[in-house]
Amino acid sequence: DRVLGQPNFVLSASRSPLVGEEQVGPASAANFYASGVRHMAIDRRSGRLFVADYYNARVMSWPSVSAFHNAQSADVILGQPDEFTTTCSTGGVSASSLCQPYGVAVSPSGMLYVSDKGTHRVLGYSPPFTTGMAASRVYGQAGSFTSSAPTLGADGLASPAGVAASDTALFVYDTSNRRVLVYNDPGADFTADVAIGQASLTTADFGAFIYWECYRHLVEAELTSLIPHLNLDEAESIAFVGAGPLPLS
């Protein structure tokens, strides 16, 4: 019924100049870079919508997923100081910067998690949300908001993609380390407790990950009978289905 990023359902311009009340340059709070939208999440308590704008190095947010109008401007921008800045890690890697945000997830209590793929970390934001705000939690950089190296181990990440969250657990698909990390108490520390797809938290073996890949294909075989054309070959997301996580393409 409604569309964000374009003035109507017909046009498809990258960073459309036809949307945004304060258009100054190519980017605004109302448009996206072509093919830049990666994942979306909804805060089920408030209805707030979050969208990862990958190439503009930001997460855009609207106050109500059920009440927005065509080409409406986002009222919150995370990862940038304003709606017009689009550089990667603006001002340097910090708690308020993003570089290639990929996955987004909101816990039942309203905590927002964003996988910052370009700086090999996951950031956690506590509500209320405001433009340019700093994250309150970081995973994948041993608790540091200013480092960005890809690492292995319980406190490392390398190109994280999909994320899923409850109030008591955080799941992160750590793509380059070929594993899914589980943080059993993400509010207490930044160290993962379990590595799915590997024999330990310190290995990134392709052979071990094959077992995880086989599990994905078993899931696909089960679901294909219910959902035709389902393809998990390039899955980079995780979502909760019932009581547990399930990889989705």
Side-chain angles (χ1 to χ4, degrees), residues 170-191:
L170 171 65
F171 292 77
V172 179
Y173 182 21
D174 189 17
T175 63
S176 293
N177 286 330
R178 306 181 183 94
R179 61 186 184 174
V180 172
L181 290 184
V182 184
Y183 302 80
N184 283 331
D185 192 358
D189 59 51
F190 50 80
T191 304

Side-chain angles (χ1 to χ4, degrees), residues 12 42 61 74 79 104 109 119 123 146 175 181 185 188 200 206 226 237:
S12 59
I42 300 169
S61 180
V104 288
S109 62
T119 50
L123 294 179
T146 57
T175 63
L181 290 184
D185 192 358
S200 72
F206 180 78
L226 301 175
S237 300

Side-chain angles (χ1 to χ4, degrees), residues 192-206:
D193 299 284
V194 177
I196 301 174
Q198 293 294 333
S200 72
L201 285 161
T202 58
T203 58
D205 299 330
F206 180 78

Side-chain angles (χ1 to χ4, degrees), residues 74-166:
D75 66 334
V76 172
I77 304 289
L78 301 175
Q80 301 290 356
D82 54 54
E83 64 182 279
F84 307 116
T85 306
T86 60
T87 53
C88 181
S89 297
T90 299
V93 178
S94 70
S96 57
S97 70
L98 288 170
C99 181
Q100 299 175 348
Y102 200 98
V104 288
V106 183
S107 73
S109 62
M111 188 75 182
L112 172 68
Y113 295 95
V114 179
S115 63
D116 196 17
K117 197 171 186 179
T119 50
H120 311 288
R121 63 184 184 172
V122 170
L123 294 179
Y125 299 85
S126 303
F129 304 102
T130 58
T131 293
M133 70 180 286
S136 57
R137 302 174 191 171
V138 60
Y139 310 88
Q141 293 297 327
S144 171
F145 284 103
T146 57
S147 59
S148 60
T151 56
L152 189 59
D155 57 4
L157 287 169
S159 301
V163 291
S166 69

